[in-house]
C-alpha cells in the first residue's frame, strides 16, 4: 500500500479540478477510474466526494490489492471493490459496466506509459459507457499540437520511448481526434503543477 510520491503531491490539485465535474446533483454519481494504480487517488477522491460511487480498476492484480487496502484503511464506503480491467480490450470486458451508465471516467498518468491501443480503448469505452453530458477526465503530461514543453517534458518523453518505443507523451491533437471519433469533444485543458495538464472531454 505504498503510493508514489507524485500521487501524494498531485491529489489536491487534481481534486480541485475534479470537483467542478462531480457536483452534488440529484442521486449518486457513477465514476469509473481506469488505471487506479496504488489506489491513493481513488480513496482520496471518493472520501472528498461522498456522493460518488467510485469504481477503481487496474490491469495489474497487485494494484487491485493495494486499492482495496487503501479503501479499507481510509474507511471509504463509496469505493467499490476494484476490478481487473485492460483498457486496450473492448468495453464489454470492463466488469459488466453498462452503456450510458457512467457520469464520469477518470484516467490519471496512464496514457504516456501505455501503448496507443490503451488510449484508443479509453476513448472508445468512454464513447459507449458515459451518459450524454458525462465527462472523461484525463491527467498527465501531454504534447500540445505537436510541441512538447518545457525541456523536462522533452527529456521525460525521450526516456519513456527509450524504455518502450510504444510509450511517450500523447499529443492533444491526436486525443482530440480520438474523442471526436467516439462522440466526445475536448471541452477544456487546465494547466497543472509540474508541467502536467487536466483534459476535460465531454460526451455529446
Amino acid at each position: 500500500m505504498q503510493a508514489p510520491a507524485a500521487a501524494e503531491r498531485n491529489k489536491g490539485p487534481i481534486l480541485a479540478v475534479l470537483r467542478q465535474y462531480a457536483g452534488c446533483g440529484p442521486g449518486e454519481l457513477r465514476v469509473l477510474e481506469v488505471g487506479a494504480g496504488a489506489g491513493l487517488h481513488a480513496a482520496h477522491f471518493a472520501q472528498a466526494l461522498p456522493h460518488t460511487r467510485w469504481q477503481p480498476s487496474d490491469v495489474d492484480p497487485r494494484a487491485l490489492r493495494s486499492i482495496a487496502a487503501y479503501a479499507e484503511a481510509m474507511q471509504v464506503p463509496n469505493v467499490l471493490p476494484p476490478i481487473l480491467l485492460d483498457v486496450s480490450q473492448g468495453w464489454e470486458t470492463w466488469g459488466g459496466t453498462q452503456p450510458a451508465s457512467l457520469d464520469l471516467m477518470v484516467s490519471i498518468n496512464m496514457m504516456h506509459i501505455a501503448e496507443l491501443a490503451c488510449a484508443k480503448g479509453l476513448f472508445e469505452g468512454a464513447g459507449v459507457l458515459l451518459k450524454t453530458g458525462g465527462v472523461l477526465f484525463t491527467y498527465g503530461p501531454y504534447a500540445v499540437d505537436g510541441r512538447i514543453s518545457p525541456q523536462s517534458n522533452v527529456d521525460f518523453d525521450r526516456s519513456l520511448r527509450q524504455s518502450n518505443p510504444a510509450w511517450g507523451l500523447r499529443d492533444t491533437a491526436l486525443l482530440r481526434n480520438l474523442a471526436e471519433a467516439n462522440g466526445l469533444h475536448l471541452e477544456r485543458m487546465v494547466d497543472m503543477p509540474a508541467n502536467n495538464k487536466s483534459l476535460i472531454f465531454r460526451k455529446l
Side-chain angles (χ1 to χ4, degrees), residues 68-169:
Y70 259 110
E72 182 178 356
M74 293 178 63
Q75 299 182 326
V76 191
N78 55 320
V79 174
L80 299 175
I83 58 173
L84 191 68
L85 189 157
D86 182 347
V87 72
S88 69
Q89 303 302 308
W91 63 267
E92 299 91 345
T93 68
W94 294 11
T97 308
Q98 295 300 303
S101 66
L102 298 176
D103 299 285
L104 178 64
M105 283 178 60
V106 175
S107 179
I108 296 170
N109 281 331
M110 183 275 287
M111 284 191 279
H112 60 281
I113 53 169
E115 295 185 1
L116 183 57
C118 294
K120 291 179 177 177
L122 181 69
F123 283 94
E124 289 168 2
V128 173
L129 300 178
L130 284 172
K131 300 174 182 176
T132 299
V135 164
L136 169 63
F137 173 97
T138 75
Y139 168 93
Y142 300 95
V144 178
D145 296 326
R147 182 171 179 267
I148 299 175
S149 67
Q151 186 61 40
S152 59
N153 274 3
V154 174
D155 296 340
F156 182 45
D157 179 67
R158 183 183 302 114
S159 70
L160 288 172
R161 295 180 188 278
Q162 288 172 348
S163 298
N164 186 329
W167 292 2
L169 275 59

Side-chain angles (χ1 to χ4, degrees), residues 23-47:
C24 297
E28 63 182 10
L29 265 71
R30 293 198 57 197
V31 184
L32 172 64
E33 182 180 2
V34 176
L40 171 65
H41 284 142
H44 181 72
F45 298 155
Q47 189 174 63

Side-chain angles (χ1 to χ4, degrees), residues 6-21 33 41 44-45 49 54 106-109 137-140 190 192-193 196-198 200:
E8 286 285 0
R9 289 194 303 269
N10 65 31
K11 66 183 184 182
I14 293 174
L15 177 60
V17 180
L18 268 181
R19 283 188 188 279
Q20 302 171 46
Y21 300 95
E33 182 180 2
H41 284 142
H44 181 72
F45 298 155
L49 303 167
W54 200 281
V106 175
S107 179
I108 296 170
N109 281 331
F137 173 97
T138 75
Y139 168 93
V190 184
M192 303 291 285
N196 291 297
K197 295 184 185 298
S198 291
I200 312 300

Side-chain angles (χ1 to χ4, degrees), residues 58-71:
D58 205 274
V59 71
D60 185 349
R62 293 169 299 179
L64 302 188
R65 292 191 289 273
S66 180
I67 295 165
Y70 259 110

